[in-house]
Amino acid sequence: MNNNDIIIIGGGLGGLTTGALLAKEGRKVTILEKNNIVGGGLQNFTRKGILFDTGMHMLGGFRPGQTLYRICQHLGIMQKLKLQRVDSDCMDEIYYASNHTIYRVAEGKAGFVESFATHFPHQRAQLQRYVDAIYELADEIDLFNLRPTGDGIPLHSERFMWSADEFIAHYIDDEQLRDVLAYMNPMYGGVSGHTPAYVHALISALYINGTDRFVGGSQQLATALAEVIEHAGGEVVGGAEVIRIAVDNRTVTQVQTKDGRSFSAPYYIAATHMGETLRLIDKGAFTPAYTKRISNTENSYSIFSLYVKLKPETFSYINHTCYYQHDYNQVWNLGQYHREDWPYGMMYMTPPNEQQNEWATHLIINCVMPFSAVEQWQDTQTGRRGEAYAQWKAWHEQRIIDRMEEVKPGFTQCIDHVWSASPLTVRDYYHAPQGAIYGFVKDCHNPLATQIPVATKVSNLFLTGQCVGLHGICGVPLSAITTAEALVGKNKIIEQLQNTAPK
Ligand SMILES: Cc1cc2nc3c(=O)[nH]c(=O)nc-3n(C[C@H](O)[C@H](O)[C@H](O)COP(=O)(O)OP(=O)(O)OC[C@H]3O[C@@H](n4cnc5c(N)ncnc54)[C@H](O)[C@@H]3O)c2cc1C
């Protein structure tokens, strides 16, 4: 192969990590990102002097020896990142409004078990077996543990592909505890009876092992990854929206951008949502069966986010993530929308800044929402969605504020200003169909439909990003390794990660 040129469409976590790994292997990479600033879910924005994160609030895998730590160390960027550990004795706080119960969840296996055993002492032994099972499932995945993969089809235990709720119920008798243990659902887009147990296990293990936050915004990771690419002679081009992937005889010949430029290279990687990739690529490039399969794959739910600038010294900085559940038996219904009941749950956090003191400057509140809630405005454009939409948005902002009042009486008085983003914002900002926050739904009944190989039938086109594997700070970089290795050789990067980083 020509070692020098790879074009990556999309400069989110997937495109940038794949690009940085390839740059480290000596490849010259060009990233084409439609937004002016790269980062996708890592991007920050500023309003009234406050820096807000868009799609990356909670980090796992960054403790010494863990997956992300080793990847970033391999890329030489670990020391550039400013991270803060959340409270070890309370990484997450879950509040159930229906009975005013607060569960404070400590990190580490023992701490996790103890946190729930305090409320459910009769379930202590079951909790221990449940957490052991989570770690056993996580250990089944070579990539998650940065182990080389063999050539055969990976063999997994039967419970690997149980549904997540079935998995929890297998170990835990108590109905309430089952519900509480699924509290990380918004972190993986859980759907009852469909989300595989391994997804629940990986995300749970990731955060139980230690949760961190970016200090001063997640953009720093995008910047650090871009620097690796540029340092190796590559280029990161913002404001370069790809409008066509031209294919001739099952080979990409060039990509064209909205501003009339064209770029060509021996190899191409699509790091966009797969729906966007299908939209861009010449018709007939993929087989009809493949196109149909991708088009019919269900997207994960979307989100409504409230960004709050707080009045000075009114709201305490909270060094952990807070979850709000309106009632029990709703955690698996988060993806449903009934206006009168919405939201069933919320997550809120006070991201730390460089001069963090006891007071929070801002708050981000995320509430799961399906795209159907905004479907009637799907043909409108940002800033021109009309008065009915503005009213709809204002109603939902107020609903969230009302819920926050339940948890923190007097909250309204702390607000300086609010902004919000709906599933339409998410769709348009990332070019993610239906505003899907985690790519495709992972389905234990149809695993093949939701695991997309990184190589395609178009000989020089590869895929990366959250649609091909797992989402988030852990899943996307792991798929980046698979994609980069498709170009540089199987296990080549994994073996280096094993040799150069502490285990
Ligand atoms: C509100 C929210 C909160 C989240 N919180 C967390 C969290 O706390 N922890 C966590 O681990 N994960 C979190 N996630 C998930 C995480 O953000 C994603 O899994 C991850 O960022 C996906 O990376 P990606 O590169 O696959 O996709 P993206 O970040 O979407 O990157 C795709 C990029 O492609 C660009 N693009 C699209 N079309 C084109 C085109 N035609 N031409 C050029 N460029 C194009 C987009 O602009 C984008 O930059 C959250 C997501 C959201 C939305």
Side-chain angles (χ1 to χ4, degrees):
M1 68 173 277
N2 179 328
N3 283 345
N4 272 335
D5 271 312
I6 298 158
I7 287 172
I8 300 184
I9 306 157
L13 178 62
L16 288 169
T17 310
T18 309
L21 290 169
L22 288 165
K24 176 92 174 133
E25 295 301 307
R27 308 299 198 260
K28 202 171 137 207
V29 172
T30 301
I31 301 255
L32 301 177
E33 165 57 45
K34 77 171 176 63
N35 293 328
N36 289 334
I37 301 169
V38 290
L42 296 174
Q43 205 186 116
N44 294 149
F45 67 95
T46 305
R47 293 281 181 281
K48 285 188 169 244
I50 300 288
L51 185 95
F52 288 99
D53 291 316
T54 51
M56 197 60 73
H57 316 290
M58 289 151 64
L59 310 172
F62 273 104
R63 301 289 166 86
Q66 293 180 355
T67 320
L68 263 294
Y69 180 94
R70 288 162 66 180
I71 294 171
C72 290
Q73 203 185 40
H74 169 73
L75 294 172
I77 60 171
M78 194 55 222
Q79 71 288 354
K80 291 186 180 176
L81 304 179
K82 288 192 189 130
L83 303 175
Q84 177 162 312
R85 296 180 175 204
V86 301
D87 300 325
S88 58
D89 60 346
C90 179
M91 60 170 191
D92 294 322
E93 185 181 309
I94 315 155
Y95 171 72
Y96 275 80
S98 56
N99 63 354
H100 306 290
T101 301
I102 295 175
Y103 304 92
R104 292 167 62 84
V105 189
E107 75 176 33
K109 271 174 89 171
F112 189 87
V113 170
E114 198 50 42
S115 304
F116 294 109
T118 309
H119 294 267
F120 302 91
H122 59 293
Q123 297 276 277
R124 182 182 294 276
Q126 297 200 349
L127 273 162
Q128 187 61 60
R129 280 199 293 278
Y130 162 77
V131 176
D132 286 344
I134 279 186
Y135 277 77
E136 283 157 18
L137 279 197
D139 192 51
E140 287 187 33
I141 302 172
D142 288 331
L143 195 55
F144 183 68
N145 297 284
L146 299 184
R147 291 190 298 252
T149 46
D151 288 328
I153 297 170
L155 295 175
H156 292 294
S157 63
E158 190 197 334
R159 60 193 172 170
F160 193 82
M161 270 305 188
W162 288 351
S163 69
D165 46 334
E166 191 184 356
F167 174 82
I168 297 172
H170 179 82
Y171 291 97
I172 306 291
D173 290 335
D174 189 289
E175 297 271 349
Q176 251 184 20
L177 179 56
R178 286 179 184 174
D179 202 72
V180 182
L181 288 173
Y183 78 94
M184 286 189 206
N185 183 314
M187 291 307 293
Y188 57 77
V191 180
S192 170
H194 291 276
T195 301
Y198 81 87
V199 173
H200 171 77
L202 283 189
I203 301 296
S204 300
L206 182 74
Y207 291 114
I208 295 171
N209 282 339
T211 305
D212 295 288
R213 293 171 162 185
F214 284 117
V215 179
S218 50
Q219 187 77 50
Q220 58 182 292
L221 178 56
T223 305
L225 291 167
E227 282 169 3
V228 175
I229 293 166
E230 287 165 347
H231 187 71
E235 209 185 346
V236 178
V237 189
E241 178 175 342
V242 172
I243 54 163
R244 181 183 174 206
I245 304 173
V247 177
D248 185 28
N249 198 18
R250 290 270 154 90
T251 306
V252 180
T253 52
Q254 59 168 244
V255 296
Q256 294 166 2
T257 56
K258 200 174 181 178
D259 57 8
R261 287 178 283 176
S262 55
F263 295 79
S264 58
Y267 291 91
Y268 299 80
I269 297 172
T272 45
H273 188 290
M274 273 301 290
E276 173 74 351
T277 307
L278 277 190
R279 192 179 73 84
L280 301 176
I281 199 160
D282 282 355
K283 301 288 163 269
F286 292 139
T287 62
Y290 184 81
T291 306
K292 189 172 167 202
R293 180 187 142 197
I294 300 294
S295 309
N296 291 343
T297 304
E298 199 182 332
N299 279 301
S300 79
Y301 51 51
S302 190
I303 209 149
F304 188 101
S305 299
L306 194 73
Y307 300 96
V308 185
K309 178 178 180 183
L310 296 160
K311 288 182 188 155
E313 303 189 0
T314 56
F315 193 96
S316 295
Y317 170 73
I318 306 169
N319 197 35
H320 55 254
T321 310
C322 299
Y323 290 81
Y324 166 99
Q325 282 296 133
H326 196 56
D327 203 352
Y328 294 84
N329 296 321
Q330 292 182 335
V331 71
W332 293 103
N333 295 338
L334 292 179
Q336 296 177 12
Y337 177 77
H338 304 287
R339 185 170 159 133
E340 60 283 7
D341 296 329
W342 186 89
Y344 293 117
M346 316 190 291
M347 286 169 70
Y348 62 94
M349 50 236 133
T350 54
N353 57 38
E354 308 266 1
Q355 299 84 34
Q356 190 59 58
N357 57 26
E358 63 186 292
W359 300 106
T361 52
H362 64 296
L363 188 68
I364 298 175
I365 309 170
N366 286 329
C367 303
V368 166
M369 182 181 265
F371 191 73
S372 56
V374 291
E375 214 155 22
Q376 59 183 300
W377 297 287
Q378 65 177 329
D379 297 325
T380 61
Q381 288 177 346
T382 313
R384 280 181 284 167
R385 302 204 199 277
E387 184 50 30
Y389 176 73
Q391 282 179 15
W392 177 92
K393 237 179 147 195
W395 186 92
H396 288 77
E397 290 172 358
Q398 190 56 49
R399 173 50 77 93
I400 295 174
I401 293 168
D402 292 345
R403 288 273 202 256
M404 282 301 296
E405 270 294 332
E406 289 173 33
V407 195
K408 304 265 178 202
F411 174 68
T412 309
Q413 307 310 316
C414 306
I415 299 174
D416 178 289
H417 204 95
V418 298
W419 300 265
S420 61
S422 81
L424 291 171
T425 325
V426 177
R427 178 196 65 176
D428 296 346
Y429 170 69
Y430 299 103
H431 277 195
Q434 299 187 305
I437 54 171
Y438 298 138
F440 291 140
V441 163
K442 308 290 178 274
D443 193 343
C444 58
H445 301 299
N446 197 0
L448 280 180
T450 49
Q451 283 176 7
I452 318 273
V454 300
T456 72
K457 288 272 163 56
V458 176
S459 63
N460 59 348
L461 177 67
F462 297 82
L463 309 173
T464 201
Q466 63 183 355
C467 278
V468 303
L470 263 193
H471 64 281
I473 192 65
C474 183
V476 172
L478 294 181
S479 294
I481 295 174
T482 308
T483 307
E485 286 188 345
L487 286 156
V488 301
K490 188 166 178 181
N491 290 326
K492 188 156 182 227
I493 294 170
I494 288 283
E495 277 161 14
Q496 290 178 60
L497 285 165
Q498 290 211 312
N499 293 333
T500 58
K503 299 191 178 129

